[in-house]
Amino acid sequence: MPNRKRTTLALAAALAGPVVVVGAPAAHAEVVDVNYQCVTPIGPKGAVSPIDIKSVKSGSGHKLTMSFQKGVSSSPVELGKGAMNPSAVIEVGGADKGKVQVSGPANTEAIPANTPIRISDLSGTYTPKKSGKVTFTAGVLTIKALGTTTTCTPKNNPGPSLELDVKGPGGSSGGSADDGSKGDGSKGGSSSGGSSTGGELPRTGPLDSAAALGTLGGTVLLTGAAGVLWLTRRGQRPTG
């Protein structure tokens, strides 16, 4: 009876290990401080805003959402409800190259004069054309209000806010980058597509290792359980 209990526990542990790995996150993201320097109708302005970029799988593409945790400019006059319209560019790097245009709704409340302009979440869709590890970095921010345009450019060479393992059409590495981008011919024909694995969700490198470790652990546990079962049965075999 004790041997059967140990066998059952070993089998349960072996099955539980890989399940935990499958449920792990599929991307690496971090909040990055971006030093925006803005050219406004009344002169230069600037501020540092932490930027967060998130991704949600949507069909063959990824919906990106860019969030600003602080305002990056201000207006000398009050901006009434709906007077300010923001948009931005997310720079795509790594295995793919290009730009993703993101935009958001106008301000839902009036913005007082000489107050930092809080940017709403900006979103857009990225469709991979190549397979491999792709990075997403905050680019130029554009604010249109009261017939004027303010352009804010990152000046501190910020690092990526998001990194994904993506799969291009058919797992191939051909084609250009995302909407509005120029193809990077020097990297055409990359073999990264051939090394990509099947499945719907992108995975980071460390997770690939974790999945392999989880599978190996499950195999060892299953083998151990089989050994216990075999020894139990062998012990019960009558001697002749």
Side-chain angles (χ1 to χ4, degrees):
M1 206 53 181
N3 287 335
R4 290 182 181 177
K5 288 183 179 180
R6 284 197 294 269
T7 301
T8 302
L9 290 174
L11 287 171
L15 293 174
V19 171
V20 174
V21 173
V22 171
H28 173 72
E30 62 179 302
V31 178
V32 176
D33 289 338
V34 179
N35 181 8
Y36 275 109
Q37 295 301 311
C38 306
V39 178
T40 79
I42 59 170
K45 289 186 177 292
V48 175
S49 177
I51 301 294
D52 177 32
I53 300 176
K54 291 185 173 64
S55 169
V56 176
K57 192 77 167 65
S58 178
S60 60
H62 302 263
K63 180 182 179 182
L64 303 180
T65 300
M66 183 179 183
S67 301
F68 293 74
Q69 296 186 9
K70 290 183 180 180
V72 297
S73 186
S74 62
S75 171
V77 297
E78 179 180 278
L79 298 178
K81 179 181 178 180
M84 187 270 295
N85 293 278
S87 63
V89 170
I90 296 177
E91 301 287 345
V92 180
D96 206 355
K97 295 288 187 294
K99 302 176 186 294
V100 178
Q101 301 288 337
V102 292
S103 59
N107 56 307
T108 57
E109 297 180 357
I111 302 174
N114 301 313
T115 300
I117 298 175
R118 184 67 181 267
I119 307 298
S120 60
D121 286 353
L122 310 180
S123 61
T125 300
Y126 162 71
T127 303
K129 300 298 188 295
K130 296 182 179 181
S131 297
K133 186 173 293 185
V134 177
T135 60
F136 301 89
T137 305
V140 175
L141 167 69
T142 301
I143 302 172
K144 293 185 177 182
L146 304 178
T148 67
T149 299
T150 294
T151 303
C152 302
T153 305
K155 292 297 185 181
N156 61 330
N157 193 27
S161 295
L162 177 66
E163 185 178 90
L164 291 175
D165 275 348
V166 302
K167 186 176 181 181
S172 65
S173 58
S176 61
D178 202 39
D179 298 341
S181 67
K182 296 182 180 179
D184 185 0
S186 62
K187 293 191 177 181
S190 168
S191 61
S192 59
S195 62
S196 63
T197 58
E200 294 298 324
L201 292 176
R203 295 178 296 169
T204 59
L207 287 179
D208 291 338
S209 300
L213 182 60
T215 303
L216 176 60
T219 303
V220 172
L221 285 171
L222 285 172
T223 304
V228 171
L229 186 60
W230 181 80
L231 288 174
T232 301
R233 289 180 177 175
R234 187 169 182 270
Q236 293 175 349
R237 184 179 300 171
T239 58

